[in-house]
Amino acid sequence: METVLESLPDDIEKLKHLVVTYAKIAEEKSRHADELASIVDTLKEKLSEEKENYAALQRLVFGSKSEKKAPYVNRKQELLFNEAETVTDAPPVKTSTVAAHERKKSGRKPFPASLERNEVLHELSDEERACPECGSLRPEIGEARTEELRLIPAKAVVDVHVMKKYGPCPCKACQGTERTPIIQAPGPAKIVPGSRFSNGTIAFFLTSKFVDAQPFYRMESILARWGVDTVRSTLCSLAMGAGRAISDLVTAIRDTIKASPVIGMDETTVQVLHETNRSAQTKSYMWVATGFKDKKRLIFFHYHPSRAGNVAAEFLKGYSGYLQTDGYSGYARVGNSPGIVHVGCMAHIRRQFYDADQAAKGTGDAAVMLAMIGEFYHEEELLRTRYEQNELDEASFVAERKKLQEPRLHHMYEWLAVRSRSVAPRSSLGKAISYALGQWQYMIRYLDHALLTPDNNGLENSIRPFVVGRKNWLFSNTPSGAHTSAGIYSLIETAKANGHEPYKYLCYIFDMLPKAKTVEEKLALLPYRLDPASY
C-alpha cells in the first residue's frame, strides 16, 4: 500500500503548490470553525436570554410580587463561593449599636379606647348562688371582665328637614308694604345642591370607591339590599358634583406642589371608554406628582390621554428645583430644562438586579449588588430617623449623609463599571448593569437635598390605591369622569399623607365648604393646613 510520503510528487514546484493548497484549506477550515464557534456563542447567549425571559414570565404569573430579599444570607458561607470577589469588591462593613428597647408583648391587641363600650352584667340566680349545705347565698367577692366586638350593620335613615316659613309682620307699619316679605329658615348646606343624599352619605360613597376600591355598580347592589334603589349614574353624578365643589382645593394642591423645592413624578395607565377620536381599548394615563409644603407631603393626580414627555413639561413649565423620576425617557427632555435638576431612582435600579438575581437563583453577581444596596438603605434609614426625630438639622443631615453615603455609592459605581466589561450585555445581569450605569449620574443627586430620598417609592405608594381601585372598576367612562377621579384622589391621598382619616375628613369639609364665603375660608380646609385633631 502506497504511503503518504510515496504519494508526494518529486517536483519542488508541485510540492510548493500542494503546501499552499493545503494551507488555504486549513485556513478556510479554521475560519469556518471560528464562525461556527461565534454562532454557537451567540445561540448560547440567546438561549440563556430566552431562559431568563421564560423564568421571568413564570415568576410574573405564578411567583411572589414582593421584591424583598431574604435577610438570612450567611456571609461566611458566601465566602466559600465568592471569596475573591467578596474580599476585593465588598465595601467595609460598618456596625451600628442599637439602643436597648422593651420587647413588645405578644397576644391580642386591645380594642381602641375610643370605641363606645356597653357593660353587660352576667349574674347567677339566687338558686344558683345557694350553698348546697346550708342554703345561704354565696358572697360576691369580685368580677371577671372580657371584651367582644359587636358590629352594628349599616342602616338607611331618612332625615326629613322641616324649614319653617314666616309671613309678614301684622303691625300697622308693615301692612301693605314690601318691607317684610315671607321668609324661610335655611335648609342644610349641601356639597351637591339639590341632592337627595346628605353630605356624610356622599362622603361615604366617595370613601368606598376611592379609598376602599368599591365600584359604584357594587355600591348600587349594596344600597338595594338596604332598601334604597339608586342607579350608579346617580352615584357618578354625586362624584362629579363633589369634584366640582373641591376644585379650589385641588387647584391649590397643584399650585403648592409646583412651588415645592422637590417634585416627584410618575404615571400609570387608565382606560377611558368614550374619548373623542380614540378607541375604547386605547391606553390613557394618570400622571401623579408629589411635593412638599413645610415638610408635609402633597399628592396631585392629573389625567391625560398621552404619555408623551410634553405632559410633564407642561406641568413643570416655569418650575425650578429638583425633579425625581424613574428612567422613563419621557422625563429626559424636561429633566434637562433650565433650573431643573433631574434626580433618578435607586429602587428602579435595584429592581433590575432583583430580576437578575431571581434568574440566577441567588448565585450570581446580582446578589452581591443587592447586598450592597441593602447596606446602603440601612444606613439611609438610620440617618433619616435621626433627622425626623430632630437630632439633626437640615444642613447637618445633608452633610452627614454625603460623608457616609458618597463613598459607598462611588464603590458601587466602580463595581458596576468593572462588571460591565465581562458580563453579556443582553443577559439579565448585563441589562441591569447597563441600566444602573445609565441612571447613576441622576440617582446620586438625591444627596443634595434633605427632602430627597434615594427612590420614588413614596410616590409609588401614593399611586397604589388608584392601581388597586383600577383592578376593581377597570375603566373610566368619560374624560370628565377621569378628571373628577383625579381631583378626588388628589384630595384624599394628600389627606391620608397628612394624618387625616379619609371619611371623617370628607364629612367635615363637605359640611364646611358650602358655608365658606371666601376662597381663603375654603383653602383653610386643605389637608396640610387643617389639624386632624381640630374637628
Side-chain angles (χ1 to χ4, degrees):
M1 183 177 179
E2 189 180 30
T3 65
V4 175
L5 289 176
E6 292 173 345
S7 65
L8 292 175
D10 295 329
D11 191 315
I12 294 176
E13 293 300 325
K14 289 182 179 180
L15 279 173
K16 288 181 178 179
H17 177 73
L18 191 61
V19 169
V20 170
T21 301
Y22 278 114
K24 288 181 178 180
I25 293 173
E27 182 181 352
E28 181 67 21
K29 286 185 177 181
S30 176
R31 186 180 61 80
H32 186 59
D34 290 342
E35 289 178 355
L36 289 176
S38 177
I39 293 173
V40 169
D41 289 341
T42 301
L43 290 175
K44 284 182 177 179
E45 185 177 329
K46 184 66 176 176
L47 178 61
S48 176
E49 181 182 352
E50 293 302 328
K51 283 182 177 180
E52 289 179 351
N53 291 338
Y54 178 69
L57 286 173
Q58 282 190 312
R59 291 194 302 273
L60 182 64
V61 176
F62 303 110
S64 170
K65 301 300 184 291
S66 172
E67 295 178 7
K68 289 184 178 179
K69 180 72 175 171
Y72 51 80
V73 176
N74 187 323
R75 298 289 294 176
K76 292 183 178 180
Q77 190 177 33
E78 271 192 325
L79 286 171
L80 295 173
F81 304 98
N82 290 310
E83 183 173 2
E85 292 85 351
T86 306
V87 172
T88 58
D89 293 336
V93 178
K94 296 185 179 180
T95 58
S96 301
T97 303
V98 180
H101 63 279
E102 291 184 6
R103 185 180 297 276
K104 292 183 179 179
K105 294 182 179 180
S106 59
R108 298 175 177 175
K109 293 182 179 180
F111 296 122
S114 58
L115 294 180
E116 176 186 344
R117 278 169 166 75
N118 299 312
E119 288 194 0
V120 181
L121 191 61
H122 298 270
E123 294 182 299
L124 296 178
S125 65
D126 288 350
E127 182 179 351
E128 291 170 319
R129 288 176 58 186
C131 173
E133 301 297 332
C134 66
S136 300
L137 295 181
R138 294 171 180 261
E140 185 177 322
I141 60 172
E143 62 186 20
R145 286 177 173 259
T146 184
E147 291 186 341
E148 67 175 10
L149 184 68
R150 176 169 56 94
L151 291 176
I152 302 174
K155 66 177 181 178
V157 176
V158 178
D159 291 329
V160 181
H161 295 272
V162 181
M163 286 77 72
K164 292 290 187 178
K165 293 183 178 182
Y166 303 89
C169 179
C171 71
K172 292 181 180 180
C174 294
Q175 288 181 358
T177 68
E178 298 295 329
R179 294 173 60 187
T180 56
I182 294 175
I183 59 175
Q184 177 179 306
K190 300 182 74 67
I191 192 69
V192 180
S195 165
R196 296 194 308 152
F197 297 92
S198 70
N199 294 337
T201 302
I202 297 174
F204 169 72
F205 292 156
L206 299 189
T207 303
S208 295
K209 177 172 182 177
F210 296 98
V211 179
D212 302 325
Q214 187 82 263
F216 280 154
Y217 76 87
R218 293 182 191 166
M219 182 58 60
E220 179 183 356
S221 62
I222 291 172
L223 291 173
R225 292 204 304 270
W226 297 347
V228 180
D229 292 326
T230 299
V231 294
R232 74 191 72 172
S233 60
T234 299
L235 300 176
C236 292
S237 297
L238 291 173
M240 298 286 282
R244 287 189 293 270
I246 65 173
S247 60
D248 287 337
L249 302 183
V250 176
T251 300
I253 291 174
R254 180 200 65 193
D255 294 343
T256 305
I257 287 177
K258 293 175 75 171
S260 170
V262 168
I263 289 180
M265 289 196 75
D266 204 351
E267 77 293 325
T268 187
T269 58
V270 62
Q271 186 179 2
V272 178
L273 295 186
H274 301 102
E275 191 157 20
T276 306
N277 299 326
R278 303 184 85 209
S279 68
Q281 292 76 28
T282 306
K283 285 183 180 180
S284 296
Y285 290 87
M286 191 67 78
W287 291 74
V288 190
T290 183
F292 297 88
K293 176 66 174 178
D294 300 328
K295 294 186 180 181
K296 296 180 179 179
R297 182 178 289 274
L298 290 68
I299 297 101
F300 176 72
F301 287 73
H302 171 61
Y303 166 74
H304 199 281
S306 171
R307 198 193 183 196
N310 59 0
V311 179
E314 182 62 29
F315 178 81
L316 295 167
K317 191 174 183 179
Y319 175 70
S320 179
Y322 293 90
L323 171 66
Q324 188 168 34
T325 71
D326 57 23
Y328 169 51
S329 59
Y331 297 113
R333 183 168 64 88
V334 66
N336 292 325
S337 301
I340 292 181
V341 179
H342 194 188
V343 184
C345 176
M346 175 64 91
H348 283 80
I349 293 174
R350 183 190 182 279
R351 192 166 298 160
Q352 302 277 338
F353 283 96
Y354 176 82
D355 292 339
D357 182 58
Q358 291 294 296
K361 298 182 179 179
T363 60
D365 282 341
V368 178
M369 185 61 178
L370 287 176
M372 288 191 284
I373 293 175
E375 292 176 2
F376 163 80
Y377 267 104
H378 176 68
E379 295 295 338
E380 185 72 24
E381 184 180 1
L382 294 177
L383 270 177
R384 177 67 61 176
T385 300
R386 291 173 59 197
Y387 173 60
E388 291 176 351
Q389 293 176 351
N390 297 319
E391 294 180 19
L392 296 171
D393 59 26
E394 185 171 319
S396 300
F397 170 70
V398 172
E400 191 162 340
R401 184 169 67 175
K402 276 191 176 184
K403 180 180 178 181
L404 179 68
Q405 298 289 56
E406 216 165 24
R408 193 179 295 275
L409 290 169
H410 180 68
H411 175 82
M412 281 193 270
Y413 180 80
E414 288 185 335
W415 185 92
L416 290 167
V418 170
R419 290 299 182 279
S420 68
R421 295 193 286 269
S422 59
V423 175
R426 296 177 62 179
S427 67
S428 295
L429 181 59
K431 291 176 182 177
I433 291 174
S434 177
Y435 180 84
L437 290 173
Q439 290 295 308
W440 206 260
Q441 61 173 320
Y442 304 109
M443 189 278 298
I444 61 175
R445 292 173 179 170
Y446 96 93
L447 293 169
D448 296 334
H449 199 286
L451 290 175
L452 286 169
T453 58
D455 54 53
N456 227 9
N457 282 353
L459 177 57
E460 291 194 354
N461 290 337
S462 299
I463 296 178
R464 188 167 289 114
F466 173 83
V467 175
V468 173
R470 185 183 59 197
K471 291 180 180 179
N472 287 274
W473 41 257
L474 300 179
F475 54 80
S476 290
N477 194 42
T478 63
S480 58
H483 282 296
T484 297
S485 295
I488 296 173
Y489 272 114
S490 299
L491 187 64
I492 287 178
E493 289 305 312
T494 302
K496 288 165 60 178
N498 286 273
H500 297 271
E501 196 285 310
Y503 171 68
K504 183 181 177 183
Y505 173 72
L506 291 182
C507 285
Y508 179 74
I509 68 166
F510 284 2
D511 283 340
M512 300 303 295
L513 274 173
K515 301 174 185 177
K517 294 182 173 58
T518 65
V519 174
E520 184 55 37
E521 288 180 350
K522 290 183 178 181
L523 298 186
L525 300 173
L526 284 164
Y528 51 92
R529 294 179 61 178
L530 187 66
D531 185 356
S534 65
Y535 60 92

